[in-house]
Amino acid sequence: MRQEQEFIDLLRARLSTLEAAAEAAVGSALGQDAGTAQARLERDVMVAEQSGLLAAFASGENGLCFGRLAFGDGSDHHIGRIGIRRDDAERTPLVVDWRAEIARPFYLATGHQPMGLRRRRHITTERNRVTALHDEILDLDDAERSGHEGADADAVLLAALDAARTGRMHDIVQTIQAEQDRIIRAPHRGVLVVEGGPGTGKTAVALHRAAYLLYAYRELLARRAVLIVGPNPAFLGYIGQVLPSLGETGVLLATPGELYPGVTATGTDTPAAAAVKGGAAMADALAAALRDRQSLPEAELLIPHEDGELVLDRELARAARDDARATHLPHNLARPHFAFAVIDALTAQLVDRIGADPFGGPNLLGPDDQALLGKAIATSPAVHAAVEDLWPQLTPEQFVADFLTEPTHLPPADAAAIRRERQLPEAGLPEAGLPEARLREAWTAADVPLLDEAAELLGEDDSARRAAEEAQRQEEIAYAQGVLDLSYGSRSHEFADREDEDSEELAAHDLIDAERLADRQEEADHRSAAERAAADRTWAFGHVIVDEAQELSPMAWRLLMRRCPTRSMTLVGDPAQTSEPGGCGSWATALAPHVGDRWDRVLLDVNYRTPAEIMDVAAGIPRAADPAFAPPRSIRATGVRPWAVFSQDLPATVAAAVARESAQEGQEGNEGRLAVIAPREHLDALAAALPTASAGPAPDLTRPVVLLAPAQAKGLEFDSVVVVEPAGFGDSELYVALTRATQRLGVVHSRPLPDGLKLP
């Protein structure tokens, strides 16, 4: 142990210099002008690497070095969360990154296939102090003994599983199992589905896969970033430190309700509304509703003109609409084609009226005269009003809000389920002409895919913005030219009497032109690729990872597929845990519309989290509906059976149970975490009975006691769990709630227990 402690001390000394260098490198890169695409890429790659180092240094309590490999050829390598090199001429490795190929024997080597190893050492640290060593002998002919050999090869894994939870997920780099390693290092292209029941490590595998991909495909993913989608804010907070602890920061974490920039989903839907909004039929309904907005006049529209009224009738409007639709452009981008067709038709009317030859000859107006008439019609307020009425310019927010106010192209029951009153504008602001973003729309998570679909259907006519940007640029170039002219005038005055030197003296305008000078004054974009991606709806991510993917609706899948045109995705979930209204559940149902059968599935069937005693109870819920249901196999047992208490005073009984469980943890010296999971209708009363518990939309999971609704519990784990009134849960919600505990489970109920839940 002394030898390893000396190495850790050496490592910390090296890190102090690396940390200062990383901070300086990041500051220098962000201060540089990255004008070209290649320069921005190089900057993004370097900033990602150095920022990752800093993040890993900040997470030093996890231990930057956790293993050592001794090979039969006499070489050995320390393995850590990030790679660190010595400060010597050869830049020899001090610690090998766990993702490097040479580190694979740490996870895959066995006595039957030692992969060249003599021994494998697990190093346990507490911050900078080595607390334990565990050596595995893989070459039985190796006579060396350290005194730290252990007969149980799973001792390190079991110790990690039995450790108290902290409210934050930790990385598993020290205990990655062989089947997990193969998934983590799978090729990044294509769609990979990782399926597994509760506690099988799906989420940890997905996060470590993200870290591996960012390491193996640094240049690609530094430019395009990785998107990780989780079910709720509590889950994202729970996993938020895993990737930084592994030295990776080029990742955007978001819930499905956060994937439309500028909109935060704060509203809630009824289950029926969420199911309808998430259904595949919504895409066709929105498209049809938008075609309805490309309307024809009920009666002739009369356009005033000094030479007599012009007539915009249904046939003229229909021909213009057909021309615009024939472009196959999105609605807003096709609108100018509609407008030009209307203007051309009205101009033709006017030309025929004014320039007609009474004797039947050619029109008396020449091309220039006709062009002037066309310009006059194009600027007519009445023409603009008619175009806006027949083919309005729309924002996604405006269009979806209008649609939900009066849903069309849906069965009556579905339309009734999603119909809602239009929200009023902010107090004191008139609704007419008000930008949609300022209306108090309470968007829900199920609305976000609708907004994204609408954005695709509408398109963005950015011609006005581009024109304004070009005008601004020309102003900047003109200003820069003025600066150069002043510089030239000052120089000419200074050397007016030295004509022989005038041609040799270099001035500013000799070295740079106005356009390049203006470019240098542009404010550099210092945001990372992930930050830029968060603000850009059209961003194409290099890889997308979705946790609890079985919960996504068909409309949510359409949104995600747009975010990843290359279909480089890792999807993690368990169909048996589907609980969201509209969730696909079946992988084939979810993926067939987008990738057909071109996807791979791997199954994780070992439960590392849930003790056998708890899993036996929880498995009764899905088994009641499907007697053939086979839960994941728990690798450990605690000897503690789940308990149940019947009570008509749920808040008081739950408070007593929480106090009893907390005292038990204290007696065991375990500063773990306890969760109370209850149906939403009981949360307020339970919060009053548990004043120290953290609750709400984004509870602090590091607190000793947390109060959660069923949907918030997905993906989380706690030392102890108290499930309240299980009869108020859906079957899949109850299965999730019962499988969150790593040590103890209790149930408090006032109604009969559901079928399949057998407790003493």
Side-chain angles (χ1 to χ4, degrees):
M1 188 174 293
R2 177 181 175 182
Q3 181 184 17
E4 297 296 356
Q5 184 62 59
E6 290 174 350
F7 177 80
I8 296 298
D9 293 340
L10 171 64
L11 177 60
R12 292 305 304 179
R14 175 66 179 137
L15 289 180
S16 64
T17 60
L18 286 175
E19 190 166 6
E23 289 178 348
V26 171
S28 174
L30 293 180
Q32 292 177 0
D33 176 21
T36 68
Q38 182 61 30
R40 286 194 297 273
L41 171 59
E42 292 174 356
R43 185 199 68 185
D44 285 348
V45 171
M46 196 283 294
V47 169
E49 290 177 341
Q50 300 302 320
S51 297
L53 285 175
L54 291 172
F57 297 157
S59 302
E61 68 272 12
N62 292 328
L64 291 174
C65 177
F66 56 79
R68 187 174 186 175
L69 299 178
F71 287 88
D73 62 5
S75 64
D76 61 33
H77 299 278
H78 282 89
I79 309 299
R81 287 174 171 81
I82 57 175
I84 300 171
R85 294 184 177 275
R86 296 179 184 271
D87 189 16
D88 55 20
E90 291 77 20
R91 303 284 292 163
T92 53
L94 186 64
V95 174
V96 173
D97 194 296
W98 66 277
R99 296 164 289 191
E101 188 64 23
I102 198 172
R104 291 204 77 180
F106 190 80
Y107 304 110
L108 300 181
T110 65
H112 295 291
Q113 292 184 321
M115 301 177 70
L117 287 186
R118 290 187 300 110
R119 63 175 55 227
R120 173 171 47 205
R121 168 168 286 184
H122 295 268
I123 305 171
T124 303
T125 59
E126 184 175 340
R127 298 191 68 82
N128 302 329
R129 186 170 61 87
V130 177
T131 58
L133 300 177
H134 183 273
D135 286 347
E136 297 176 62
I137 305 301
L138 292 115
D139 181 358
L140 298 181
D141 294 331
D142 184 3
E144 179 185 348
R145 292 295 178 266
S146 64
H148 300 289
E149 290 78 12
D152 186 359
D154 293 326
V156 176
L157 172 63
L158 293 173
L161 297 178
D162 284 329
R165 270 40 190 175
T166 64
R168 292 288 181 264
M169 177 182 278
H170 291 305
D171 63 66
I172 60 168
V173 288
Q174 192 168 359
T175 58
I176 292 173
Q177 302 300 292
E179 69 275 12
Q180 296 173 330
D181 181 79
R182 284 187 283 271
I183 296 170
I184 289 168
R185 297 173 189 263
H188 81 288
R189 296 194 179 278
V191 176
L192 176 64
V193 174
V194 182
E195 181 180 324
T200 54
K202 303 182 300 297
T203 298
V205 167
L207 293 173
H208 289 70
R209 176 161 168 74
Y212 171 76
L213 294 177
L214 286 162
Y215 171 86
Y217 306 97
R218 176 72 66 193
E219 183 169 310
L220 169 66
L221 297 182
R223 180 174 68 249
R224 302 310 315 165
V226 172
L227 171 64
I228 296 181
V229 180
N232 55 62
F235 175 84
L236 295 184
Y238 177 64
I239 68 172
Q241 292 303 310
V242 173
L243 287 170
S245 75
L246 299 174
E248 298 301 344
T249 57
V251 175
L252 174 63
L253 276 67
T255 67
E258 296 171 335
L259 292 177
Y260 188 86
V263 166
T264 301
T266 58
T268 56
D269 277 312
T270 64
V276 173
K277 289 179 180 180
M282 282 299 299
D284 292 335
L286 289 171
L290 183 57
R291 289 177 69 87
D292 291 345
R293 301 296 291 268
Q294 301 163 2
S295 60
L296 301 175
E298 293 296 328
E300 293 180 344
L301 297 178
L302 300 180
I303 308 298
H305 191 274
E306 61 184 13
D307 291 303
E309 291 178 331
L310 302 174
V311 179
L312 176 54
D313 59 20
R314 287 180 66 86
E315 288 309 310
L316 187 155
R318 188 189 308 277
R321 186 177 70 175
D322 290 345
D323 286 347
R325 287 179 173 176
T327 65
H328 301 292
L329 292 171
H331 174 89
N332 287 336
L333 299 183
R335 184 176 186 266
H337 294 269
F338 175 80
F340 289 140
V342 168
I343 292 167
D344 288 346
L346 294 176
T347 301
Q349 280 187 29
L350 189 57
V351 168
D352 287 344
R353 178 185 304 169
I354 297 175
D357 185 344
F359 302 104
N363 195 284
L364 300 177
L365 296 179
D368 291 343
D369 296 325
Q370 295 181 27
L372 287 174
L373 292 176
K375 288 182 180 179
I377 291 174
T379 58
S380 166
V383 172
H384 281 260
V387 169
E388 180 62 25
D389 183 54
L390 300 177
W391 196 295
Q393 180 88 15
L394 297 169
T395 66
E397 293 86 350
Q398 178 185 4
F399 173 62
V400 173
D402 290 344
F403 177 82
L404 293 176
T405 301
E406 192 55 49
T408 57
H409 302 282
L410 290 172
D414 289 352
I418 67 172
R419 182 179 289 112
R420 70 183 184 205
E421 294 298 323
R422 185 66 172 271
Q423 301 297 308
L424 297 174
E426 296 175 3
L429 295 175
E431 184 170 7
L434 189 67
E436 192 64 27
R438 298 176 67 188
L439 294 178
R440 292 190 290 106
E441 292 289 352
W443 299 112
T444 69
D447 290 333
V448 167
L450 306 190
L451 291 168
D452 196 73
E453 189 76 22
E456 288 292 307
L457 293 170
L458 292 170
E460 180 185 359
D461 182 2
D462 61 351
S463 56
R465 176 182 60 80
R466 287 188 285 107
E469 290 176 351
E470 179 60 25
Q472 175 68 23
R473 175 168 172 74
Q474 293 304 319
E475 288 183 11
E476 293 169 352
I477 292 174
Y479 177 80
Q481 185 63 57
V483 172
L484 292 176
D485 291 344
L486 287 174
S487 170
Y488 178 77
S490 173
R491 172 183 176 277
S492 298
H493 175 76
E494 180 181 355
F495 295 101
D497 58 346
R498 298 166 59 184
E499 296 183 2
D500 59 325
E501 297 180 22
D502 189 45
S503 62
E504 299 178 2
E505 186 72 23
L506 292 177
H509 69 274
D510 296 315
L511 302 174
I512 191 170
D513 59 24
E515 188 169 352
R516 291 173 60 198
L517 180 59
D519 288 341
R520 289 193 175 186
Q521 305 311 309
E522 288 186 5
E523 184 176 351
D525 188 349
H526 292 158
R527 295 176 300 169
S528 68
E531 291 169 332
R532 296 197 300 273
D536 185 353
R537 190 195 69 82
T538 63
W539 190 275
F541 287 91
H543 194 81
V544 172
I545 293 175
V546 186
D547 205 302
E548 304 294 348
Q550 77 280 350
E551 302 287 12
L552 295 185
S553 69
M555 290 299 292
W557 279 116
R558 289 173 66 88
L559 179 155
L560 278 177
M561 291 297 172
R562 294 187 195 106
R563 299 297 188 272
C564 191
T566 61
R567 305 296 191 260
S568 177
M569 308 179 86
T570 303
L571 311 177
V572 180
D574 177 15
Q577 298 184 60
T578 306
S579 60
E580 289 297 318
C584 287
S586 162
W587 300 122
T589 300
L591 298 176
H594 309 287
V595 296
D597 60 358
R598 300 183 304 278
W599 52 279
D600 294 320
R601 171 181 170 269
V602 292
L603 180 65
L604 296 174
D605 58 1
V606 176
N607 190 331
Y608 298 100
R609 175 205 303 142
T610 316
E613 295 86 353
I614 295 177
M615 200 64 216
D616 289 345
V617 170
I621 301 302
R623 196 173 283 139
D626 178 10
F629 173 77
R633 174 178 55 86
S634 297
I635 67 168
R636 65 193 179 101
T638 61
V640 180
R641 299 290 303 173
W643 52 265
V645 173
F646 176 84
S647 172
Q648 291 298 333
D649 187 352
L650 291 178
T653 305
V654 170
V658 168
R660 183 174 64 252
E661 290 293 325
S662 299
Q664 178 68 26
E665 290 183 356
Q667 292 174 7
E668 297 173 357
N670 181 1
E671 297 181 2
R673 301 296 181 270
L674 184 148
V676 176
I677 307 176
R680 287 191 176 275
E681 60 267 24
H682 294 283
L683 293 182
D684 289 343
L686 291 171
L690 300 168
T692 62
S694 179
D700 181 359
L701 300 178
T702 65
R703 296 276 293 275
V705 180
V706 182
L707 178 60
L708 302 171
Q712 293 177 297
K714 277 192 169 293
L716 308 182
E717 59 182 30
F718 305 90
D719 297 87
S720 300
V721 170
V722 176
V723 176
V724 181
E725 201 65 285
F729 289 69
D731 285 350
S732 59
E733 290 179 333
L734 182 55
Y735 181 52
V736 170
L738 293 172
T739 55
R740 298 304 96 191
T742 66
Q743 301 293 338
R744 288 180 291 275
L745 170 69
V747 173
V748 178
H749 62 106
S750 65
R751 295 159 56 186
L753 295 176
D755 292 341
L757 184 55
K758 307 300 182 184
L759 286 166

